[in-house]
């Protein structure tokens, strides 16, 4: 989504040239891997958060251009919808007090952005899907004013050949259709990057796929969409359907969707890039003048721009990333599982849990993915999206696989592993204990962002508010507590009681 592309038509020959160039790039990636040309390990991580803009009434504000102009920082960028922003945190080395450093940088940056947004009656809300967002808000006229979004929308609509159908059956059922990809803008997420060596990539990616379900179970924060209560984490089914370029006939044939969990464990990063070329036709067939073989032959570092652009239009929940920094190529695993929010503390706690857990699982003598069928990991992911913190997941037990509650699995087994992983990263024990303690607190109270939203919404309805008013009240209360900053498992459900009038009759 973030690639800088310019609008303009593409012809049949462009697609053929692009496909040939993609094959060249893939071959050069294979050479880079075989010749061990990649950057040395530096334990680098990165963080991106997609944000919503909402007013003091809790309703979305289509004002990202005005807000970005006031923020005037390269750390903040547009996202797909006019009510979206994205903040990017510079890469950090894992270790020491990095978690507290991340939290402080996020609080400072988001606080500044929120003050600037307030100048135009808007505010920053970190949440998976804004509960007050309506279907009428996600139309093509509310896509951000950027060539890359216009072109991507045009190409996906052309590939689909008909309206995008949304049908999500949860607590309630949502069915509707859209002539554009604009409904995808409802999804706001956290992306966690981890730079890894080629030799370690497959183990880290496989570990990340295994833990995607538990990330969602403890971190779900998107139970509402277009006024309906759906899954506890409704982003994945929405993202899948809003970007699904397959008409029903191709779905029936088993053609893979562009938003994809995957279908197998891997042995190399090459496997994922090769799958991208084999299964997914290009959406943005734009080539540059680089000859990647020649660049490599001359001792340079190829950008592999076509491979990178194509990879950006295949929406894996754990995506491979090829990039060049300081003249050296490197690989990253981009974890795209988590929703935004609820608070900075919660975001950093989710990051601590993820980075510690994948480190520990990737280094096990008998890795979990050798004992867990890939299909079970995929089913776990859907189950966690549906049920959130109440999910029951399949996990290796003894010589087989058994069902266990997500809360028990995290508390008894995965949190100690995450602590060991953070120790291996040399993270300070105080940071480790504080942020993993947030995850433990959610498990003890069986509370995450989604459960708090749902419980508070139903309290509002019990108090007599109709659906739209209850969603708006829930959103306003969420934003208030989000900016106060205490982790979500400590939030009181519902609304503060009104102040009592003094008794003047005494």
């Amino acid at each position: 989504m973030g690639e800088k592309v310019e609008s303009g038509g593409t012809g049949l020959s462009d697609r053929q040239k692009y496909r040939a160039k993609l094959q060249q790039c893939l071959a050069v990636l294979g050479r880079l891997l075989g010749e061990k040309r990649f950057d040395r390990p530096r334990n680098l991580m990165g963080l991106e958060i997609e944000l919503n803009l909402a007013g003091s009434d809790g309703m979305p504000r289509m004002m990202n251009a005005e807000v970005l102009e006031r923020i005037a920082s390269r750390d903040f960028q547009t996202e797909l919808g006019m009510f979206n922003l994205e903040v990017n945190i510079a890469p950090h080395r894992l270790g020491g007090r990095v978690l507290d450093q991340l939290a402080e940088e996020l609080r400072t940056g988001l606080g500044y952005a929120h003050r600037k947004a307030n100048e135009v009656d808007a505010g920053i809300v970190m949440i998976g899907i804004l509960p007050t967002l309506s279907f009428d808000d996600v139309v093509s006229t509310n896509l951000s004013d950027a060539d890359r979004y216009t072109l991507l929308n045009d190409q996906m609509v052309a590939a689909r050949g008909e309206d995008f159908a949304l049908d999500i059956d949860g607590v309630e059922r949502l069915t509707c259709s859209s002539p554009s990809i604009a409904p995808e803008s409802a999804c706001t997420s956290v992306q966690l990057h981890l730079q890894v060596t080629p030799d370690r990539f497959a183990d880290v990616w496989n570990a990340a796929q295994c833990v995607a379900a538990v990330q969602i179970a403890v971190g779900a924060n998107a139970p509402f969409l277009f006024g309906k209560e759906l899954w506890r984490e409704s982003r994945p089914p929405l993202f899948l359907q809003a970007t699904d370029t397959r008409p029903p006939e191709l779905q029936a044939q088993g053609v893979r969707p562009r938003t994809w969990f995957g279908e197998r464990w891997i042995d190399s990063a090459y496997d994922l890039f090769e799958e991208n070329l084999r299964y997914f036709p290009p959406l943005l067939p734009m080539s540059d003048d680089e000859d990647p073989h020649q660049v490599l032959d001359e001792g340079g570092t190829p950008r592999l721009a076509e491979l990178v652009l194509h990879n950006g239009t295949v929406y894996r929940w754990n995506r491979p990333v090829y990039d060049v920094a300081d003249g050296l190529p490197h690989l990253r695993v981009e974890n795209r599982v988590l929703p935004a929010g609820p608070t900075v503390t919660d975001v950093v706690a989710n990051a601590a849990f993820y980075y510690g857990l994948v480190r520990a699982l990737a280094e096990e003598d008998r890795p979990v993915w050798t004992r867990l069928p890939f299909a079970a990991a995929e089913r776990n992911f859907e189950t966690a999206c549906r049920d959130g913190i109440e999910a029951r997941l399949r996990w290796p037990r003894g010589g087989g696989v058994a069902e266990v509650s997500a809360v028990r699995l995290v508390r008894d087994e995965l949190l100690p592993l995450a602590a060991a992983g953070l120790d291996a990263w040399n993270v300070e024990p105080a940071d480790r204990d504080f942020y993993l303690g947030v995850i433990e607190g959610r498990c003890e109270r069986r509370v995450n962002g989604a459960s708090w939203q749902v419980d508070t919404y139903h309290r509002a309805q019990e108090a007599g508010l109709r659906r739209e008013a209850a969603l708006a009240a829930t959103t306003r209360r969420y934003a208030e507590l989000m900016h106060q900053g205490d982790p979500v498992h400590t939030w009181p459900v519902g609304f503060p009681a009104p102040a009592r009038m003094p008794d003047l009759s005494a």
Side-chain angles (χ1 to χ4, degrees), residues 10-25 155 277 281-287 306:
T10 57
L12 299 179
S13 62
D14 293 320
R15 293 186 180 277
Q16 292 171 327
K17 291 176 183 175
Y18 189 80
R19 184 177 290 111
K21 190 66 177 294
L22 279 174
Q23 292 294 341
Q24 290 182 40
C25 289
Q155 293 295 310
L277 273 62
L283 287 176
L284 303 171
M286 290 167 290
S287 300
E306 293 82 5

Side-chain angles (χ1 to χ4, degrees), residues 264-283:
R264 64 186 177 112
W265 307 119
I266 65 167
D267 298 314
S268 167
Y270 184 91
D271 295 347
L272 300 177
F273 289 102
E274 189 274 333
E275 283 182 347
N276 288 354
L277 273 62
R278 182 152 40 104
Y279 295 143
F280 302 104
L283 287 176

